[in-house]
Amino acid sequence: MENTQYNGRQRATTAEQSAAGHGAAAAPPDPARRQQTATERRRRELLEAADRVVLRDGPDASMNAIAAEAGITKPILYRHFGDKGGLYRALAVRHTDALLDGLRAALDSPVPRRDRVEATLDTYLAAIETRPQVYRFLMHPADEKPDEKPGADKDAGFDVGRHSAPLLRRLGEELAEVIGERLDLGPGGEELARVWGHGIVGMMHAAGDWWLRERPCSRAQLVQHLADLLWGRLAAAGDRLGGPGF
Amino acid sequence: MENTQYNGRQRATTAEQSAAGHGAAAAPPDPARRQQTATERRRRELLEAADRVVLRDGPDASMNAIAAEAGITKPILYRHFGDKGGLYRALAVRHTDALLDGLRAALDSPVPRRDRVEATLDTYLAAIETRPQVYRFLMHPADEKPDEKPGADKDAGFDVGRHSAPLLRRLGEELAEVIGERLDLGPGGEELARVWGHGIVGMMHAAGDWWLRERPCSRAQLVQHLADLLWGRLAAAGDRLGGPGF
DNA sequence: GACTCTTGTTACCGCAAGTAACACTCGCAC
DNA sequence: GTGCGAGTGTTACTTGCGGTAACAAGAGTC
């Protein structure tokens, strides 16, 4: 009976099997398939509710709150997503997919490489700039914000940090792939591309995070600075005073 | 009475005041000062116990577990560190300080810049390689590890991710400072140095994280690859096929 | 001996994650 | 119609964690 496992995928699979089971792949009605799409639609609605609540409350969003926003109660959330991590993951892939679409577009634009790199950086930074709440939710664990009456505990909150690494890793892998297929890096280029993919993503992320918090300069300027860094200006810069070995 | 605030610093301050209060700055005994050092020693012992438990249990370390390891109970942990975040922060600065010492040494070595950069990268990577548990604790939110009987909840755990960003930011600031004071970057160099500091730290972190997990190459090779990236090899590499604007 | 300060305890609160068990409502078979 | 399987939804509960209040005991001070 598998009664300890609730999740959408499990049920969807069952539905598909039964659909394939009684042979008919009839076009218009097909109850099983219709049921499946209904489930998926519900799932999307729930995800949108979760999105709203996360955007509003930041990472201090409890399952109860999300369920309330969706107009239902906790257990059905658990039926759909298994656990909080499942919900989070579903939410995350939505946003990451959207971000990745933008990045791929920038990465594929038919302009010189430097411009392409700048466009990619700018796309990422624009994304985190225009939707900082989403960004914080995805990447950031509720940095201490000094509100909330002392009675309420400021703990809990989505366990977010626990999943930021996977996101960065996914971005890194994607970038690595693009680098690998577009640049001729000689022998061992595969490996090099992967290192660079992850490295560049990390650079973008850390710099973006800091920038978003301190806003020390314009976005365009940040893009220039980072592109300069990638273009080897670190190697080219002059020393300031001259220690022993310069 | 200030009964809602317990922490070592508060009490230490009080002790100092009373010491100054009744005048005597007597050298050998001085009860207040002795008390203070005793408190600090106790604090260190607690931190070491916490360290042990974190190293053993990974980030799923509860306050109860830490207290048990230290041979005491929760409330005194709270008296010393205020809340879990406080304990974490104390633990974190210990380790970050140690790491920073190593990095500063590498950054200050009297060799050509490329070698210095490589030494810095290697120092960081060596640190996370030799103490991955510490690293995971500091930076990483308990990536799903598929153990633990399903009865035990795999949630909670140190809230770790919630503080990884501050650590990276601190590293970034430190690196920025060194860059700023050693390189001549022309007008606006301050800002540039900060961007680079955070960017490089992010690069190091993300690449290191990925490398630690997949071990796709030797440490030395990773260092080379990253240094190459910083040295502008991305700009110099040849295209593979030639899209429109290459 | 009384006073204070620190260390330590037990026993509790509040809260969030996650579950069990039960109730309603369709659409479909016979 | 009646039965029934699958989904949706509920209330009420357990467990475990962070955090705190209230109290008890040892050590130095007057």
Side-chain angles (χ1 to χ4, degrees):
Chain A
M1 200 32 175
E2 203 87 54
N3 64 349
T4 63
Q5 291 274 37
Y6 300 90
N7 63 58
R9 178 158 290 123
Q10 163 86 19
R11 291 214 311 286
T13 303
T14 305
E16 282 178 321
Q17 282 174 341
S18 74
H22 49 62
D30 193 348
R33 192 162 300 272
R34 199 177 41 151
Q35 186 53 43
Q36 182 192 348
T37 69
T39 299
E40 279 176 3
R41 202 178 51 234
R42 193 82 185 97
R43 193 184 159 93
R44 265 214 288 281
E45 290 171 11
L46 297 184
L47 274 179
E48 274 161 27
D51 229 350
R52 255 173 283 143
V53 103
V54 157
L55 247 58
R56 167 162 28 89
D57 296 359
D60 302 354
S62 74
M63 291 299 261
N64 261 324
I66 293 174
E69 169 70 28
I72 51 164
T73 49
K74 272 193 301 178
I76 72 177
L77 277 186
Y78 282 94
R79 284 221 265 265
H80 274 276
F81 302 104
D83 64 352
K84 194 158 76 161
L87 207 188
Y88 169 79
R89 244 166 276 132
L91 228 50
V93 305
R94 263 164 74 95
H95 286 118
T96 341
D97 284 351
L99 178 58
L100 273 174
D101 285 349
L103 289 180
R104 265 191 280 259
L107 238 16
D108 284 348
S109 67
V111 294
R113 191 182 301 162
R114 164 95 188 200
D115 295 336
R116 230 166 28 194
V117 167
E118 290 184 7
T120 306
L121 290 169
D122 194 64
T123 300
Y124 174 83
L125 294 172
I128 73 173
E129 182 181 30
T130 58
R131 309 255 292 268
Q133 286 277 33
V134 174
Y135 167 69
R136 292 206 179 302
F137 165 67
L138 286 178
M139 299 297 196
H140 258 318
D143 336 63
E144 70 268 43
K145 43 174 187 179
D147 59 324
E148 300 298 308
K149 58 197 67 171
D153 78 333
K154 56 193 59 173
D155 168 62
F158 239 130
D159 263 5
V160 173
R162 187 163 305 213
H163 303 85
S164 70
L167 288 192
L168 288 184
R169 256 179 268 139
R170 185 166 165 216
L171 288 178
E173 285 296 323
E174 297 266 354
L175 181 55
E177 195 176 335
V178 173
I179 291 177
E181 79 191 14
R182 298 184 144 258
L183 260 54
D184 182 16
L185 294 170
E190 250 316 300
E191 185 179 293
L192 195 63
R194 285 171 50 107
V195 171
W196 287 7
H198 289 278
I200 293 173
V201 164
M203 182 198 80
M204 204 164 68
H205 167 241
D209 184 62
W210 162 77
W211 171 75
L212 198 59
R213 178 175 317 266
E214 308 212 357
R215 290 306 185 111
C217 61
S218 73
R219 199 173 83 212
Q221 223 156 357
L222 178 62
V223 168
Q224 284 304 315
H225 289 345
L226 289 177
D228 280 354
L229 177 59
L230 287 175
W231 247 249
R233 224 184 118 188
L234 172 65
D239 283 315
R240 177 153 268 172
L241 271 173
F246 293 55
Chain B
M1 198 44 170
E2 203 86 56
N3 63 350
T4 63
Q5 290 275 38
Y6 300 91
N7 63 59
R9 178 159 289 121
Q10 164 86 17
R11 293 212 312 284
T13 302
T14 304
E16 281 178 322
Q17 282 173 343
S18 75
H22 49 63
D30 192 350
R33 193 162 300 270
R34 201 179 39 150
Q35 184 54 43
Q36 182 189 349
T37 69
T39 299
E40 279 175 4
R41 203 180 50 235
R42 192 82 186 96
R43 194 184 158 93
R44 265 214 288 281
E45 291 171 11
L46 296 184
L47 274 179
E48 273 161 29
D51 229 350
R52 257 174 282 141
V53 99
V54 156
L55 247 58
R56 167 162 28 87
D57 296 0
D60 303 355
S62 73
M63 292 299 263
N64 260 324
I66 293 174
E69 169 71 27
I72 51 162
T73 49
K74 272 193 301 179
I76 71 177
L77 277 186
Y78 283 95
R79 285 219 265 264
H80 274 275
F81 303 104
D83 62 354
K84 193 158 76 162
L87 208 187
Y88 170 76
R89 243 166 276 131
L91 228 48
V93 305
R94 263 164 74 96
H95 286 119
T96 345
D97 284 350
L99 178 57
L100 273 176
D101 284 348
L103 288 180
R104 266 190 280 259
L107 237 17
D108 283 347
S109 67
V111 295
R113 191 183 301 161
R114 165 94 187 201
D115 295 334
R116 228 166 29 194
V117 167
E118 290 183 8
T120 306
L121 290 169
D122 194 63
T123 300
Y124 173 83
L125 294 172
I128 73 172
E129 181 181 31
T130 58
R131 309 255 293 265
Q133 286 277 33
V134 174
Y135 167 69
R136 294 207 176 301
F137 164 68
L138 286 178
M139 300 297 196
H140 256 318
D143 337 62
E144 70 269 41
K145 44 175 186 178
D147 60 322
E148 299 297 309
K149 59 198 67 169
D153 79 333
K154 56 194 60 172
D155 168 61
F158 238 129
D159 265 6
V160 174
R162 189 164 303 212
H163 303 85
S164 69
L167 288 192
L168 289 184
R169 255 178 268 139
R170 185 165 166 218
L171 288 178
E173 286 296 324
E174 297 266 352
L175 181 55
E177 196 176 334
V178 173
I179 291 178
E181 79 192 15
R182 297 185 144 257
L183 261 55
D184 182 15
L185 294 170
E190 249 317 300
E191 184 179 292
L192 195 62
R194 285 172 50 107
V195 171
W196 287 6
H198 288 279
I200 293 173
V201 164
M203 183 197 81
M204 204 164 68
H205 168 241
D209 184 63
W210 161 78
W211 170 75
L212 199 59
R213 178 175 316 268
E214 309 211 356
R215 291 305 186 110
C217 61
S218 74
R219 200 173 84 210
Q221 223 156 358
L222 179 61
V223 168
Q224 284 305 316
H225 290 344
L226 289 177
D228 281 353
L229 177 59
L230 288 175
W231 246 249
R233 221 183 120 188
L234 172 65
D239 284 314
R240 178 152 265 173
L241 271 172
F246 292 54

